[in-house]
Amino acid sequence: NEELLEFNNKFPEMLRCSRADLRGKSRSHFELDQQQSSLSLASSVLSVTKIKTVDFDTQFRCGDNEIIDVNATFWVIDVVGRQAQLMIARNVTERRKAELQLRESEEKFRTLAEAIPSLVTIQRDQRPLYVNPAMIVVSGYSQEELQKASFLDLLRGLERDEVERCL
């Protein structure tokens, strides 16, 4: 029986329901597709290998039927001689959305930087992390040479002095 015995106030808040709504319910009430979830797999692994802690991602259905992404850490613990399951669940929906947006933004930047005829370089500590194809064509250096060179090494005379003042 996987009935919820106790939970803190954040759990019903995360699931947008009341404590009373959760009392006596099992994971299957709010966890999507429990048969396919990594938690079900983790439970099987725990019983076979005696692993004490498992970290996994799953999805929960909230009281308002919204689906949220959850990262959970799951322990099998002993409570007064009986085996119990302790789970800490974190709503990572916004983090997942931000990660996706970042990946999409990086992809758009790379597509633009690779296609434009302007010189594009991303620097850290005056060393290139990225140079676009136009930089290679205009400078006459290979990508490997540009990756090893300081941006200032590519500049001459007054331009170099001006850039150094800005840094």
Side-chain angles (χ1 to χ4, degrees):
N1 183 8
E2 295 182 356
E3 177 182 331
L4 295 175
L5 299 177
E6 189 54 51
F7 41 86
N8 66 10
N9 291 333
K10 289 291 185 181
F11 193 59
E13 182 181 310
M14 180 174 79
L15 294 178
R16 293 188 280 290
C17 61
S18 70
R19 290 182 71 80
D21 291 336
L22 290 175
R23 192 154 317 279
K25 299 288 193 288
S26 69
R27 281 192 343 251
S28 62
H29 178 76
F30 52 85
E31 187 175 8
L32 295 186
D33 199 10
Q34 192 176 10
Q35 296 298 323
Q36 299 298 319
S37 79
S38 49
L39 179 56
S40 296
L41 176 61
S43 298
S44 301
V45 170
L46 286 169
S47 63
V48 171
T49 65
K50 305 295 184 198
I51 295 173
K52 298 290 184 196
T53 304
V54 175
D55 191 61
F56 59 93
D57 292 323
T58 190
Q59 291 183 311
F60 288 173
R61 181 180 307 280
C62 297
D64 59 5
N65 281 327
E66 182 182 347
I67 306 301
I68 61 171
D69 294 321
V70 175
N71 174 262
T73 305
F74 180 82
W75 292 268
V76 174
I77 60 173
D78 183 71
V79 178
V80 194
R82 293 185 60 201
Q83 189 179 66
Q85 301 166 355
L86 171 66
M87 181 175 69
I88 297 175
R90 293 166 291 284
N91 183 344
V92 295
T93 304
E94 292 305 314
R95 184 176 82 197
R96 295 283 191 268
K97 286 179 186 175
E99 289 169 350
L100 177 61
Q101 288 173 339
L102 178 60
R103 279 193 303 276
E104 288 171 352
S105 177
E106 288 171 344
E107 188 176 307
K108 288 176 185 175
F109 168 79
R110 182 169 295 278
T111 300
L112 176 65
E114 300 275 324
I116 64 173
S118 301
L119 308 181
V120 177
T121 180
I122 299 174
Q123 306 276 318
R124 180 177 294 143
D125 299 326
Q126 297 182 12
R127 295 282 179 214
L129 298 175
Y130 169 82
V131 294
N132 74 336
M135 185 84 159
I136 295 165
V137 170
V138 170
S139 72
Y141 291 104
S142 69
Q143 180 153 356
E144 294 76 28
E145 291 170 317
L146 288 170
Q147 294 287 338
K148 293 176 185 172
S150 162
F151 180 68
L152 293 174
D153 293 341
L154 303 175
L155 301 176
R156 295 188 181 94
L158 295 174
E159 296 162 343
R160 180 182 176 126
D161 293 341
E162 182 129 355
V163 170
E164 281 181 314
R165 277 194 296 277
C166 293
L167 296 175

